[in-house]
Amino acid sequence: MTLRAAEIVRARIDLVAPFRTSFGTETARSLLYLRLIGDDAEGWGECVAMAAPVYSSEYVDGCEDVIRRFLLPEVGPDTTAEEFVASVSPVRGHPMAKAVVEAALLDHQLRARGVSLAGHLGAVRDRVPSGVSVGIHDSVPELLRTVEGYLRAGYLRIKLKIEPGSDIGQVRAVRREFGDALLLQVDANAAYRIDDAAHLAQLDDLGLLLIEQPLPEDDLAGHAALARRIATPVCLDESITSLESARGAIELGACSVVNIKPGRVGGYLAARAIHDLCLERGVPVWCGGMLETGIGRAANLALAALPGFTLPGDTSASDRYFLRDVTAPFVLEDGHLAVPSGAGIGREPDPEVLSAMTVRRDTVPIA
Ligand code: NPG
């Protein structure tokens, strides 16, 4: 199981279409992969931070710095993912940076043992239902065309990004066009304030599964107040950064649904702990997405196969994001994606595709 070196791979991949949210427009992903090289196996992790600190305070170049200076020095030849998580607990914050190293360690140790990540985490299904996240569009007809395309591809749930000025009318148009049976939800990425409660209550008669992160991430009391004033279930994303914040949010009544993103909470082990808590409290969870390539997507699918993930996630097929994924592509079948069953995350980068995407790679010895 001995680790010899780590390789930081920086790469770039274009998105098939611009993706607009309330905090900006993404047209490409600036990627950081961590490859751990052992005697017997490799391990891969993908960083979910964007190029700029606009979703949360982390950004990909900052993650690289934290990984090099504070996290990789905690990895020795025999360090397990569990030991790593414990040893970096004095480092405050930086969950996305920590999650990359943890994921690569898990992949390596599970590959060495021939165990899948899904099996290790406690997965109970071999495929998961797929939802898709639809960016903000300039016009309603364009939005309807995009949604129609995704429904034709077989997606089982639609999430609409919203912001002030592009919300009630757009959501109502989608509901009217595609009918009451469509599983539909919205995501504000913290674009509203508690004073907007009456405005957001106009969503109440649109039969939404949930509204995700309407208010700023640190406003748990505001979310609790909003949850009392609107009928649409409130789901938290950005606010849930740890097991403790998940427990607090649930106890305060700030959310009745949780979006779990491993990168946002420091890794797959913390993500599973939040899942376990939510399952115990009867709070439904679903797996979020950060425009991951196949490495991050493979691991997310393993997580999304746990029993508490009762809502379709933002776990879409590779072709929703990229012309050519870095791994063998994830393909939608009957609205579902298969959970990888191979050892570790069950996927690895295609060397040629990776090398065409690569901007820089550096080796760091492990001692
Ligand atoms: O399918 O991976 C995906 C994208 C899902 O909407 C999605 N992600 O706030 O949840 C989010 C949002 C996001 C996108 C966040 C880009 C950060 C950057």
Side-chain angles (χ1 to χ4, degrees), residues 19 21 23 26 50 55 133 159 161 187 189 212 237-238 259 261 289-292 297 314 316 320-321:
F19 184 61
T21 68
F23 57 77
E26 308 291 328
M50 302 289 139
Y55 164 83
S133 176
K159 159 168 140 180
K161 291 287 189 181
D187 182 6
N189 287 111
E212 184 180 354
D237 172 10
E238 286 91 326
N259 167 338
K261 287 178 182 166
M290 297 288 284
L291 310 171
E292 290 91 345
R297 188 162 312 278
D314 285 342
S316 313
R320 178 255 173 267
Y321 310 94

Side-chain angles (χ1 to χ4, degrees), residues 10 26 28-30 48-54 58-62:
R10 295 299 306 269
E26 308 291 328
R29 293 277 286 111
S30 173
V48 299
M50 302 289 139
V54 288
E58 290 183 276
Y59 62 103
V60 64
D61 289 348

Side-chain angles (χ1 to χ4, degrees), residues 235-256:
C235 169
L236 289 177
D237 172 10
E238 286 91 326
S239 295
I240 307 295
T241 53
S242 62
L243 179 62
E244 292 72 24
S245 61
R247 187 180 293 118
I250 294 167
E251 282 174 7
L252 270 171
C255 65
S256 53

Side-chain angles (χ1 to χ4, degrees), residues 71-226:
L71 304 182
L72 280 180
E74 297 298 322
V75 176
D78 301 313
T79 306
T80 64
E82 292 77 5
E83 289 165 348
F84 169 78
V85 170
S87 73
V88 298
S89 67
V91 175
R92 304 250 181 218
H94 301 291
M96 293 179 180
K98 291 174 179 172
V100 187
V101 183
E102 186 233 45
L105 284 165
L106 270 175
D107 187 34
H108 169 258
Q109 76 200 44
L110 293 172
R111 277 181 201 265
R113 285 170 37 207
V115 174
S116 71
L117 179 62
H120 179 72
L121 292 176
V124 294
R125 40 184 100 89
D126 58 11
R127 62 177 204 158
V128 299
S130 261
V132 63
S133 176
V134 181
I136 297 169
H137 281 56
D138 289 338
S139 78
V140 168
E142 278 175 61
L143 173 65
L144 296 179
R145 254 198 310 279
T146 299
V147 171
E148 190 187 1
Y150 287 139
L151 293 176
R152 220 180 301 119
Y155 286 103
L156 299 172
R157 177 279 267 155
I158 297 289
K159 159 168 140 180
L160 301 179
K161 291 287 189 181
I162 58 168
E163 65 181 1
S166 184
D167 49 21
I168 315 296
Q170 281 74 359
V171 182
R172 181 167 289 131
V174 170
R175 175 58 85 205
R176 196 174 291 146
E177 180 78 12
F178 301 104
D180 289 343
L182 173 67
L183 298 181
L184 185 62
Q185 64 193 53
V186 296
D187 182 6
N189 287 111
Y192 296 87
R193 299 294 175 267
I194 187 62
D195 294 349
D196 297 314
H199 176 74
L200 292 173
Q202 296 174 80
L203 295 168
D204 283 355
D205 61 355
L206 294 176
L208 301 181
L209 289 169
L210 55 93
I211 178 169
E212 184 180 354
Q213 198 68 44
L215 309 181
E217 66 185 48
D218 49 6
D219 193 6
L220 285 187
H223 280 102
L226 181 68

